[in-house]
Amino acid sequence: MATFFGEVVVAPSRAGVDDEEWAEEAREETPEDREIRRELEKKREIDVLWTLKSGASLESSADQPLVCSKFIVAIGHNAAAFLSSFILDSVCWEVVGVVKLWNEWCRTSNTTNVLPTDSFCLFYRLISDPTVLLCQCSCYVAEDQQFQWLEKVFGCMQKEGLQVTILSTCPVADYKTQESTLTLPAPFLKALKTKEFKEQICCPLLEQPNIVRDLPAAVLSYCQVWQIPAVLYQCYTDGIKLDTVTIEAFKPLLSCEILNSLVKDVSESTKILKKLLTTNEIHNNIYI
Amino acid sequence: MFVPCDRGGGSASSDFKGFTLLMPAVSVGNVGQLAVDLVISTLNMTKVGYFYTDCLVPMVGNNPYATAEENSTELSINAEVYSLPSKKLVVLQIRSPFIKNKYRPFCQTLLSWVKSSKCARVVVLSSSHAYQRDDEQLLGTPLRYLLTPDLEKAVGGLMQELNWKEMEKVAAYPGINDSEKVLHIPGGGITKLLFTESCSKGIQMAVLLKFCSEGDNIPDAFALVNYLNEWLQLIKSESNSSTDTSSQWKIPSSWRLLFGSGLPPALF
């Protein structure tokens, strides 16, 4: 393909096929290459560490999987902040696990005392009902790590009687519609559910030809294949960072069966949202 | 790995002994995948399972072949298997690209599934960069085929009758040594690897490909699916004279908005 200036370049293919990449991979791997590749793979490995507050580790091996009736996963800063504002608190919930990972986009923080703008992946358990698990995953899980995340997290859980709810966000520009995306009332919610999910959903289903990608898609695919009832609530937003408008777009979920028994005091939520906004401003402000 | 939709009862829906497996290679213009979409949509094939793998980028969406409100809410993932027992046809549709360094393990898993499910033969729909054609390839039909030795014995004669053109080999060291020829399918994704592996494993495989470029590849998909139909006769041509069955392929509802959303009126 010739560009505007007359230089001939290789056109990128939508099919994701890069001939140079193929040629590179087709070359015989030397022991050095193998070693480098192994090191890189090790660096990109995900560790899921299950612990109780007291420091003792949970009984969660292959022989004794975690009994879980509800698993709520919030992917991305805004979805995680929604759970922090409306569901989570230090009285009713305890941290039971953390995911440690590294990729080119982020490294998870080691602490459980996280800021809403940090990259982290934490698991919480409802003290009054230990079968209710919640996950806030605001770090980016890369393509090659998504399957690992699935296997290591779901691998510890008993699948019978499990119901999964996923919350995530994505840019409204990705939404395909007959009209222009400029006229859409962003942010708005759309849902996707697996075959086994029979409950009411609190927003319209995502119409064709729209698709969902990344970790939310990986979790929902896993649930569809292994016949676990699951629903994904995707918020299409024009905000790029943490913002209260996007967070509040998830509010209709508070009335649905999965979350309405877990909602905390509304006045608490308003306070937390305000605090989120100020923390965010401080971090984004280059002036003192 | 193949995971059937229907776990209970007999494995009747996942018995593919003697079937033809049709699948796309993720290649330039996504032509193979578009052509497979046309086959599944037109023949109204039933989904019988998933190809659960860590080699493809995850994606989900609602039923891409929905025709009405009732069937529009079934979830689809990145690799699914459809079947039409009356034509002994099983189709694998792949909807996303490979994760880096994962295309080899995928080929291995796929070919071992082909063997274990006892499919009679595999047909791969693919494409190759049009700009890499040599002077001779620029003329005449842009469609090509390849057969593994085991399938050549069975259907080689039919290809002659259909007047199909076999994919030419190119010089391994162009300009230096023209005698050594190799198979080269630029932009074809895993096509070449699948083909060479099938040759060595004794699998009956055919590759049908079209030279094309990125752009609006719907006409390329139609050309490729008509080419396939000349051989497999999946749909009958309505008019007596031509073998052109273009108008009889049903475009799936998911092909809407292929080039993005509507434009803001304020632009004009």
Side-chain angles (χ1 to χ4, degrees):
Chain A
M1 160 182 129
T3 66
F4 186 67
F5 300 104
E7 16 154 13
V8 177
V9 294
V10 176
S13 172
R14 268 200 322 256
V17 169
D18 188 337
D19 279 332
E20 279 161 25
E21 242 177 69
W22 292 112
E24 198 184 290
E25 287 177 20
R27 274 200 304 272
E28 286 299 318
E29 216 181 25
T30 65
E32 250 174 20
D33 290 336
R34 215 168 295 145
E35 189 57 39
I36 294 172
R37 188 168 53 80
R38 233 176 277 148
E39 285 298 311
L40 262 173
E41 274 172 12
K42 238 195 311 184
K43 204 171 174 193
R44 297 178 76 89
E45 244 176 51
I46 292 188
D47 283 314
V48 181
L49 305 160
W50 301 100
T51 53
L52 279 176
K53 237 199 318 202
S54 59
S57 65
L58 272 176
E59 308 268 312
S60 64
S61 56
D63 0 296
Q64 267 201 311
L66 281 169
V67 176
C68 187
S69 62
K70 282 188 192 171
F71 183 38
I72 303 154
V73 191
I75 300 170
H77 289 287
N78 284 298
F82 170 75
L83 289 186
S84 296
S85 313
F86 292 91
I87 310 283
L88 280 172
D89 62 40
S90 51
V91 175
C92 306
W93 297 84
E94 54 177 355
V95 177
V96 291
V98 63
V99 169
K100 287 171 105 168
L101 65 85
W102 171 89
N103 55 52
E104 294 78 11
W105 293 270
C106 73
R107 180 195 297 276
T108 50
S109 38
N110 275 332
T111 158
T112 54
N113 190 14
V114 288
L115 287 168
T117 44
D118 286 345
S119 285
F120 57 91
C121 184
L122 293 167
F123 294 88
Y124 302 83
R125 187 168 68 169
L126 187 62
I127 296 173
S128 58
D129 180 0
T131 67
V132 179
L133 269 184
L134 195 150
C135 171
Q136 285 181 313
C137 184
S138 71
C139 59
Y140 176 67
V141 181
E143 278 180 359
D144 57 313
Q145 297 172 316
Q146 286 157 12
F147 192 80
Q148 254 193 81
W149 191 100
L150 280 180
E151 294 286 308
K152 290 192 174 175
V153 171
F154 282 93
C156 299
M157 289 182 201
Q158 195 173 288
K159 315 285 189 296
E160 288 86 54
L162 172 63
Q163 191 181 72
V164 179
T165 307
I166 310 150
L167 279 68
S168 84
T169 53
C170 86
V172 72
D174 285 352
Y175 185 72
K176 296 227 177 41
T177 171
Q178 198 69 29
E179 322 104 51
S180 147
T181 51
L182 285 179
T183 55
L184 291 171
F188 56 88
L189 281 182
K190 292 283 176 182
L192 277 177
K193 58 185 170 85
T194 63
K195 196 167 178 191
E196 302 295 317
F197 188 83
K198 309 282 187 227
E199 314 281 334
Q200 257 316 52
I201 49 168
C202 12
C203 68
L205 284 174
L206 184 63
E207 317 81 358
Q208 272 295 348
N210 289 291
I211 58 167
V212 170
R213 303 166 215 257
D214 292 327
L215 191 61
V219 178
L220 202 65
S221 300
Y222 182 93
C223 294
Q224 173 75 355
V225 172
W226 303 114
Q227 297 180 332
I228 300 169
V231 62
L232 159 66
Y233 289 104
Q234 177 103 307
C235 178
Y236 285 88
T237 174
D238 46 13
I240 19 175
K241 299 205 178 136
L242 194 62
D243 75 270
T244 51
V245 179
T246 305
I247 295 169
E248 290 194 309
F250 283 109
K251 269 167 113 169
L253 270 63
L254 296 175
S255 58
C256 75
E257 209 206 300
I258 306 155
L259 292 181
N260 66 7
S261 55
L262 305 170
V263 186
K264 60 188 188 193
D265 185 11
V266 174
S267 59
E268 265 290 305
S269 317
T270 328
K271 259 193 271 172
I272 295 177
L273 271 177
K274 271 212 181 112
K275 196 173 157 198
L276 264 175
L277 196 57
T278 33
T279 327
N280 206 20
E281 276 174 9
I282 291 168
H283 279 263
N284 288 333
N285 209 330
I286 61 169
Y287 303 108
I288 296 177
Chain B
M1 60 185 277
F2 174 71
V3 180
C5 286
D6 203 2
R7 237 55 124 234
S11 55
S13 65
S14 46
D15 178 18
F16 304 129
K17 189 168 174 185
F19 277 39
T20 298
L21 169 65
L22 178 67
M23 62 169 282
V26 179
S27 55
V28 56
N30 306 94
V31 177
Q33 295 160 286
L34 291 170
V36 166
D37 257 356
L38 285 172
V39 171
I40 297 171
S41 168
T42 309
L43 299 178
N44 206 15
M45 296 179 80
T46 319
K47 181 158 68 175
V48 295
Y50 308 99
F51 204 77
Y52 183 62
T53 171
D54 63 337
C55 303
L56 295 167
V57 171
M59 61 125 310
V60 284
N62 273 329
N63 184 9
Y65 312 109
T67 48
E69 189 74 44
E70 296 81 52
N71 59 22
S72 65
T73 58
E74 200 185 302
L75 199 67
S76 270
I77 68 167
N78 57 6
E80 298 186 316
V81 180
Y82 298 78
S83 138
L84 188 63
S86 58
K87 289 205 191 284
K88 290 200 119 183
L89 182 67
V90 58
V91 176
L92 167 67
Q93 176 62 301
I94 300 173
R95 301 194 170 98
S96 61
F98 290 104
I99 291 175
K100 199 168 163 65
N101 296 326
K102 288 290 194 176
Y103 74 94
R104 269 182 210 279
F106 180 80
C107 288
Q108 281 159 13
T109 319
L110 178 73
L111 293 178
S112 68
W113 176 56
V114 166
K115 288 218 135 171
S116 65
S117 61
K118 299 192 175 56
C119 289
R121 60 195 177 177
V122 185
V123 178
V124 178
L125 297 183
S126 180
S127 53
S128 184
H129 284 308
Y131 69 80
Q132 293 248 19
R133 288 175 292 175
D134 63 27
D135 293 347
E136 281 181 38
Q137 289 172 323
L138 282 171
L139 308 165
T141 173
L143 296 156
R144 296 287 187 276
Y145 79 94
L146 279 169
L147 298 174
T148 57
D150 293 85
L151 190 55
E152 174 82 49
K153 288 182 210 140
V155 302
L158 179 59
M159 301 315 174
Q160 305 284 14
E161 276 175 51
L162 288 170
N163 209 15
W164 277 14
K165 223 169 170 182
E166 194 175 2
M167 181 69 172
E168 304 90 335
K169 289 202 166 147
V170 296
Y173 307 103
I176 301 168
N177 177 2
D178 276 344
S179 56
E180 207 182 316
K181 301 270 191 191
V182 287
L183 186 62
H184 189 46
I185 309 177
I190 57 170
T191 308
K192 183 175 161 185
L193 181 62
L194 275 179
F195 184 72
T196 49
E197 288 289 297
S198 298
C199 285
S200 58
K201 288 183 162 72
I203 294 175
Q204 292 194 11
M205 176 180 281
V207 171
L208 269 59
L209 66 83
K210 183 177 193 293
F211 290 117
C212 69
S213 303
E214 293 283 349
D216 180 356
N217 300 106
I218 293 176
D220 299 307
F222 273 94
L224 192 57
V225 82
N226 283 327
Y227 190 53
L228 173 72
N229 200 51
E230 281 175 34
W231 173 27
L232 292 187
Q233 294 288 300
L234 296 171
I235 61 174
K236 293 270 181 292
S237 131
E238 262 158 27
S239 73
N240 294 329
S241 50
S242 69
T243 46
D244 180 17
T245 44
S246 294
S247 54
Q248 291 153 254
W249 297 104
K250 191 164 95 182
I251 291 183
S253 50
S254 57
W255 282 20
R256 284 178 63 235
L257 305 172
L258 271 180
F259 298 101
S261 297
L263 298 168
L267 199 62
F268 305 106

